[in-house]
Amino acid sequence: MPSVTGMYLYAGIAGFGYGVYSAIDQALNVDVLPNKEEAGKDLGILNLATTLGQAVGPTITSTVKTATGALRLHSPSPSSWPCAPPCSCCAFRR
């Protein structure tokens, strides 16, 4: 549904799904902690490890792009989608 309504539906369904996943994931994280007394520290380290890639990835990518000026993203062809996730991208030099 390439429309505004379709985007709102997608955002609602995706947001609900991610919220359910996050709640269950957080509950499991707390359940498997080795020491309940240090839960805050352990969950802080887990959060840092999760978000570090999101913070460092764009920095590294923009540095490579600026240094080489030749980075472009190429999405896999539809025939290769069963073998690779559709959201994956491969970097190629021009």
Side-chain angles (χ1 to χ4, degrees):
M1 287 179 53
S3 65
V4 174
T5 305
M7 289 303 297
Y8 280 126
L9 283 172
Y10 168 76
I13 293 168
F16 177 76
Y18 185 70
V20 169
Y21 165 77
S22 295
I24 293 170
D25 187 45
Q26 190 69 15
L28 287 173
N29 285 336
V30 171
D31 195 38
V32 298
L33 287 175
N35 185 358
K36 303 293 183 199
E37 301 295 322
E38 298 181 353
K41 179 188 74 148
D42 292 339
L43 292 173
I45 292 170
L46 178 68
N47 187 37
L48 179 65
T50 301
T51 57
L52 192 61
Q54 296 171 351
V56 174
T59 305
I60 292 172
T61 304
S62 65
T63 303
V64 169
K65 168 67 175 154
T66 302
T68 64
L71 182 70
R72 71 182 168 96
L73 296 178
H74 175 70
S75 185
S77 66
S79 62
S80 67
W81 284 357
C83 300
C87 61
S88 68
C89 293
C90 303
F92 292 98
R93 274 192 91 194
R94 223 178 222 193

